[in-house]
Amino acid sequence: MSLEHTTSRRSFLSLSAMAAASALAGCASTSTTDGMVGQQPTPPSNPIHAVQTPPAPTEVELAAMYGPIEDGGILIPAVPFRQIDPRYYRQQVLDPTGEAPGTIVVDTPTRFLYLVQPGGTAMRYGVGIGREGFAWQGDGVIQWRQKWPRWKPPNEMVARQPELAKYSIENGGMEPGVKNPLGARALYIFSGGQDTLYRLHGNPEWRSIGKAVSAGCVRLLNQDIIDLYDRVPIKAPIVVKQ
């Protein structure tokens, strides 16, 4: 069963790597008769209407969403969105997760991040994820948020890649900017009161969206991480599934 055809958390935990469809059939309450001739069905007092599938973004909307942005004095270049698989465009979809509104759900097999909204919908973003062996999963919270963060690779990464020593924690990290691997925003994931060292963050490399290429963090287009940042408060719950 694919992600887009289930709304239960139990089913969501057993997701395969199949890509999710972009719409689900809504449910509606229907009334029944008691079989008596000539008797009309009684309308329910609180009818549940089917949630309509949100429309996909138009070309004009995409050009605005992924056009150049001036943010904090830094110019973020436009994303050539036509060269990205359309399923990874930011869009509102029917919620397939079953989680409470305000929850972030990262479904790594399908390369989607969902922000659950009230009313049965979610904002969906395409993401790049960690390479095999460099990924985190579990439940946590967004403990901290940062605009234009400095990138400070952990010592374990510096040990594997000595050329990063100039950006180490001891040396103060890399200056913010469009070439910074954390991009325009970073959301810091904590679990059990401890920093997991994994982040949701911006990304200057649009070609990495939909792929497993990072050192474990979840990367979004800079335009998308800004949108997500503006929607997500500190302490928002997050669920990351492999």
Side-chain angles (χ1 to χ4, degrees):
M1 184 176 291
S2 69
L3 176 62
E4 296 291 329
H5 289 79
T6 179
T7 58
S8 70
R9 172 106 182 249
R10 182 178 179 87
S11 296
F12 181 74
L13 296 177
S14 62
L15 286 171
S16 68
M18 296 176 63
S22 62
L24 292 172
C27 297
S29 294
T30 57
S31 59
T32 60
T33 67
D34 62 3
M36 295 179 62
V37 177
Q39 181 169 333
Q40 297 299 317
T42 302
S45 58
N46 293 299
I48 300 174
H49 298 284
V51 179
Q52 297 299 312
T53 303
T58 65
E59 184 85 2
V60 172
E61 290 171 333
L62 289 168
M65 287 163 51
Y66 295 120
I69 302 174
E70 190 280 325
D71 181 82
I74 299 174
L75 180 62
I76 301 173
V79 173
F81 62 87
R82 295 180 187 86
Q83 299 182 49
I84 297 175
D85 189 326
R87 63 181 168 173
Y88 296 127
Y89 295 157
R90 181 203 325 161
Q91 56 189 296
Q92 189 180 42
V93 299
L94 300 184
D95 172 40
T97 72
E99 298 288 346
T103 304
I104 298 170
V105 179
V106 180
D107 176 37
T108 56
T110 57
R111 314 295 198 258
F112 289 143
L113 181 153
Y114 297 91
L115 174 61
V116 182
Q117 299 179 312
T121 64
M123 288 300 298
R124 190 181 76 188
Y125 306 81
V127 299
I129 63 171
R131 301 186 302 275
E132 183 176 359
F134 293 92
W136 176 83
Q137 64 177 331
D139 298 355
V141 297
I142 301 301
Q143 186 71 28
W144 189 42
R145 310 182 316 153
Q146 183 69 43
K147 295 182 177 181
W148 292 108
R150 299 179 73 90
W151 180 53
K152 299 177 182 179
N155 293 333
E156 294 82 358
M157 180 181 290
V158 174
R160 294 192 305 268
Q161 300 174 260
E163 68 275 13
L164 299 180
K166 60 184 177 181
Y167 303 128
S168 68
I169 296 171
E170 292 77 11
N171 289 329
M174 179 187 284
E175 291 286 338
V178 292
K179 295 183 178 180
N180 187 301
L182 293 184
R185 303 286 190 275
L187 305 177
Y188 296 74
I189 302 173
F190 279 58
S191 183
Q194 300 296 317
D195 187 355
T196 66
L197 301 181
Y198 291 98
R199 322 292 187 219
L200 311 177
H201 65 81
N203 167 38
E205 300 176 11
W206 57 266
R207 291 181 179 85
S208 67
I209 298 301
K211 300 177 182 177
V213 295
S214 77
C217 294
V218 178
R219 53 173 64 183
L220 295 83
L221 297 170
N222 274 321
Q223 284 84 343
D224 283 349
I225 193 63
I226 290 174
D227 182 85
L228 179 65
Y229 182 98
D230 290 341
R231 298 175 187 270
V232 175
I234 293 177
K235 305 293 188 179
I238 180 169
V239 180
V240 180
K241 299 299 179 184
Q242 298 292 343

